Amino acid sequence: FFFFFFFLTSQPTSDIKMVHTVKARTLRGKTKNELIEELNKFKTELASLRVEQANGGNASKIAKIKSVRKSIAVVNTVISQSHINSLRKHYANAKYQPLDLRQKKTRAIRRRLTAHQANAMTVRQAKKLKHFKQHVYAVKA
């Protein structure tokens, strides 16, 4: 009886094949249209795999769903990264940038005075520093 139960619960491992997701480095050189074609290909493949899963398909098809979903995510990531890079090039020398392209840093750093503002002096203060320089003393330790 135990052998029969074990036979029913164990799954054949030979049917399940490791399916690799697409790598981002292979996609980076492609144009936006090629990336969209790749994305549509993966989406149609995912739809067919979902149908196969609903119909009770074999384990190798169902195991492939995860890798196809990850591939879709990689393609979407590469598309958004290339879009952001092109926007960064466009706004490189602009006076103002969109908020999402600016450096995040921290709120306190963003509120801080700029270097020019911090070093600004009144005319009186500049004259005082010029004519009455701070004395340097040699201190014996």
Side-chain angles (χ1 to χ4, degrees):
F1 175 73
F2 176 75
F3 177 76
F4 182 70
F5 179 74
F6 178 76
F7 181 75
L8 287 177
T9 57
S10 66
Q11 294 179 352
T13 56
S14 61
D15 288 350
I16 301 172
K17 296 176 185 173
M18 282 299 294
V19 181
H20 298 290
T21 58
V22 68
K23 299 291 182 190
R25 65 177 171 260
T26 61
L27 298 174
R28 296 227 189 267
K30 294 187 177 182
T31 63
K32 187 175 181 182
N33 291 333
E34 291 172 340
L35 289 172
I36 290 172
E37 286 176 23
E38 195 86 17
L39 183 65
N40 291 334
K41 183 185 79 169
F42 283 126
K43 284 185 177 181
T44 54
E45 186 178 359
L46 181 64
S48 66
L49 289 172
R50 295 263 191 228
V51 169
E52 190 81 24
Q53 182 184 25
N55 294 336
N58 60 353
S60 64
K61 293 275 188 181
I62 295 171
K64 195 175 177 185
I65 290 176
K66 181 178 179 180
S67 65
V68 172
R69 287 179 63 234
K70 302 296 179 194
S71 296
I72 289 172
V74 168
V75 173
N76 278 329
T77 302
V78 170
I79 288 172
S80 65
Q81 284 176 347
S82 63
H83 180 67
I84 288 171
N85 285 338
S86 65
L87 285 175
R88 283 194 197 282
K89 287 178 186 173
H90 181 266
Y91 287 103
N93 297 323
K95 184 174 182 182
Y96 299 109
Q97 287 184 343
L99 292 175
D100 56 342
L101 294 181
R102 296 179 191 170
Q103 289 183 333
K104 178 113 173 77
K105 297 187 178 179
T106 62
R107 191 169 187 266
I109 291 173
R110 291 194 307 265
R111 303 289 184 276
R112 196 162 50 191
L113 291 175
T114 63
H116 180 71
Q117 291 169 338
N119 294 327
M121 284 188 228
T122 61
V123 176
R124 180 180 176 140
Q125 191 178 9
K127 284 180 184 177
K128 190 175 177 183
L129 280 174
K130 182 180 176 186
H131 297 296
F132 302 101
K133 293 187 172 83
Q134 190 174 12
H135 296 291
V136 179
Y137 297 99
V139 180
K140 189 174 183 181

PDB file of all heavy atoms in Angstrom, residues 103-112:
ATOM      1  N   GLN A 103      17.807  64.257  -8.789  1.00  0.00           N
ATOM      2  CA  GLN A 103      18.363  63.385  -7.770  1.00  0.00           C
ATOM      3  C   GLN A 103      17.486  63.425  -6.533  1.00  0.00           C
ATOM      4  O   GLN A 103      17.059  64.484  -6.093  1.00  0.00           O
ATOM      5  CB  GLN A 103      19.781  63.824  -7.412  1.00  0.00           C
ATOM      6  CG  GLN A 103      20.777  63.556  -8.512  1.00  0.00           C
ATOM      7  CD  GLN A 103      22.190  63.941  -8.097  1.00  0.00           C
ATOM      8  OE1 GLN A 103      22.366  64.815  -7.267  1.00  0.00           O
ATOM      9  NE2 GLN A 103      23.160  63.282  -8.680  1.00  0.00           N
ATOM     10  N   LYS A 104      17.243  62.259  -5.946  1.00  0.00           N
ATOM     11  CA  LYS A 104      16.338  62.189  -4.812  1.00  0.00           C
ATOM     12  C   LYS A 104      16.987  62.731  -3.543  1.00  0.00           C
ATOM     13  O   LYS A 104      16.457  63.598  -2.878  1.00  0.00           O
ATOM     14  CB  LYS A 104      15.896  60.741  -4.593  1.00  0.00           C
ATOM     15  CG  LYS A 104      14.989  60.548  -3.414  1.00  0.00           C
ATOM     16  CD  LYS A 104      13.622  60.143  -3.841  1.00  0.00           C
ATOM     17  CE  LYS A 104      12.753  59.777  -2.654  1.00  0.00           C
ATOM     18  NZ  LYS A 104      12.255  60.913  -1.937  1.00  0.00           N
ATOM     19  N   LYS A 105      18.156  62.206  -3.197  1.00  0.00           N
ATOM     20  CA  LYS A 105      18.880  62.588  -1.979  1.00  0.00           C
ATOM     21  C   LYS A 105      17.941  62.529  -0.782  1.00  0.00           C
ATOM     22  O   LYS A 105      17.145  61.609  -0.663  1.00  0.00           O
ATOM     23  CB  LYS A 105      19.534  63.953  -2.147  1.00  0.00           C
ATOM     24  CG  LYS A 105      20.575  63.968  -3.250  1.00  0.00           C
ATOM     25  CD  LYS A 105      21.318  65.261  -3.280  1.00  0.00           C
ATOM     26  CE  LYS A 105      22.375  65.214  -4.371  1.00  0.00           C
ATOM     27  NZ  LYS A 105      23.096  66.459  -4.446  1.00  0.00           N
ATOM     28  N   THR A 106      18.033  63.507   0.124  1.00  0.00           N
ATOM     29  CA  THR A 106      17.091  63.562   1.244  1.00  0.00           C
ATOM     30  C   THR A 106      16.412  64.918   1.225  1.00  0.00           C
ATOM     31  O   THR A 106      16.897  65.860   0.583  1.00  0.00           O
ATOM     32  CB  THR A 106      17.799  63.386   2.605  1.00  0.00           C
ATOM     33  OG1 THR A 106      18.719  64.462   2.776  1.00  0.00           O
ATOM     34  CG2 THR A 106      18.544  62.059   2.674  1.00  0.00           C
ATOM     35  N   ARG A 107      15.334  65.039   1.953  1.00  0.00           N
ATOM     36  CA  ARG A 107      14.581  66.289   1.958  1.00  0.00           C
ATOM     37  C   ARG A 107      15.431  67.431   2.499  1.00  0.00           C
ATOM     38  O   ARG A 107      15.408  68.547   1.975  1.00  0.00           O
ATOM     39  CB  ARG A 107      13.323  66.104   2.806  1.00  0.00           C
ATOM     40  CG  ARG A 107      12.334  67.222   2.692  1.00  0.00           C
ATOM     41  CD  ARG A 107      11.018  66.807   3.346  1.00  0.00           C
ATOM     42  NE  ARG A 107      10.001  67.800   3.096  1.00  0.00           N
ATOM     43  CZ  ARG A 107       9.709  68.801   3.911  1.00  0.00           C
ATOM     44  NH1 ARG A 107      10.395  68.958   5.026  1.00  0.00           N
ATOM     45  NH2 ARG A 107       8.760  69.655   3.611  1.00  0.00           N
ATOM     46  N   ALA A 108      16.206  67.139   3.556  1.00  0.00           N
ATOM     47  CA  ALA A 108      17.052  68.173   4.163  1.00  0.00           C
ATOM     48  C   ALA A 108      18.121  68.650   3.192  1.00  0.00           C
ATOM     49  O   ALA A 108      18.394  69.854   3.087  1.00  0.00           O
ATOM     50  CB  ALA A 108      17.700  67.632   5.428  1.00  0.00           C
ATOM     51  N   ILE A 109      18.725  67.728   2.452  1.00  0.00           N
ATOM     52  CA  ILE A 109      19.759  68.118   1.483  1.00  0.00           C
ATOM     53  C   ILE A 109      19.142  68.948   0.357  1.00  0.00           C
ATOM     54  O   ILE A 109      19.733  69.933  -0.099  1.00  0.00           O
ATOM     55  CB  ILE A 109      20.472  66.871   0.927  1.00  0.00           C
ATOM     56  CG1 ILE A 109      21.312  66.219   2.022  1.00  0.00           C
ATOM     57  CG2 ILE A 109      21.339  67.215  -0.274  1.00  0.00           C
ATOM     58  CD1 ILE A 109      21.917  64.894   1.625  1.00  0.00           C
ATOM     59  N   ARG A 110      17.940  68.599  -0.078  1.00  0.00           N
ATOM     60  CA  ARG A 110      17.288  69.368  -1.138  1.00  0.00           C
ATOM     61  C   ARG A 110      16.931  70.775  -0.676  1.00  0.00           C
ATOM     62  O   ARG A 110      16.926  71.712  -1.462  1.00  0.00           O
ATOM     63  CB  ARG A 110      16.029  68.636  -1.615  1.00  0.00           C
ATOM     64  CG  ARG A 110      16.299  67.354  -2.363  1.00  0.00           C
ATOM     65  CD  ARG A 110      15.066  66.867  -3.098  1.00  0.00           C
ATOM     66  NE  ARG A 110      13.886  66.734  -2.284  1.00  0.00           N
ATOM     67  CZ  ARG A 110      13.468  65.618  -1.695  1.00  0.00           C
ATOM     68  NH1 ARG A 110      14.161  64.498  -1.845  1.00  0.00           N
ATOM     69  NH2 ARG A 110      12.365  65.581  -0.987  1.00  0.00           N
ATOM     70  N   ARG A 111      16.650  70.958   0.610  1.00  0.00           N
ATOM     71  CA  ARG A 111      16.291  72.274   1.143  1.00  0.00           C
ATOM     72  C   ARG A 111      17.514  73.134   1.479  1.00  0.00           C
ATOM     73  O   ARG A 111      17.391  74.322   1.713  1.00  0.00           O
ATOM     74  CB  ARG A 111      15.451  72.131   2.429  1.00  0.00           C
ATOM     75  CG  ARG A 111      14.179  71.335   2.292  1.00  0.00           C
ATOM     76  CD  ARG A 111      13.138  72.086   1.490  1.00  0.00           C
ATOM     77  NE  ARG A 111      11.859  71.394   1.421  1.00  0.00           N
ATOM     78  CZ  ARG A 111      11.544  70.445   0.558  1.00  0.00           C
ATOM     79  NH1 ARG A 111      12.447  70.025  -0.306  1.00  0.00           N
ATOM     80  NH2 ARG A 111      10.351  69.909   0.533  1.00  0.00           N
ATOM     81  N   ARG A 112      18.688  72.513   1.536  1.00  0.00           N
ATOM     82  CA  ARG A 112      19.893  73.200   1.960  1.00  0.00           C
ATOM     83  C   ARG A 112      20.268  74.306   0.976  1.00  0.00           C
ATOM     84  O   ARG A 112      19.925  74.250  -0.209  1.00  0.00           O
ATOM     85  CB  ARG A 112      21.032  72.167   2.047  1.00  0.00           C
ATOM     86  CG  ARG A 112      22.227  72.610   2.825  1.00  0.00           C
ATOM     87  CD  ARG A 112      23.092  71.453   3.239  1.00  0.00           C
ATOM     88  NE  ARG A 112      23.416  70.563   2.137  1.00  0.00           N
ATOM     89  CZ  ARG A 112      23.985  69.363   2.326  1.00  0.00           C
ATOM     90  NH1 ARG A 112      24.254  68.945   3.536  1.00  0.00           N
ATOM     91  NH2 ARG A 112      24.272  68.614   1.293  1.00  0.00           N
TER      92      ARG A 112
END
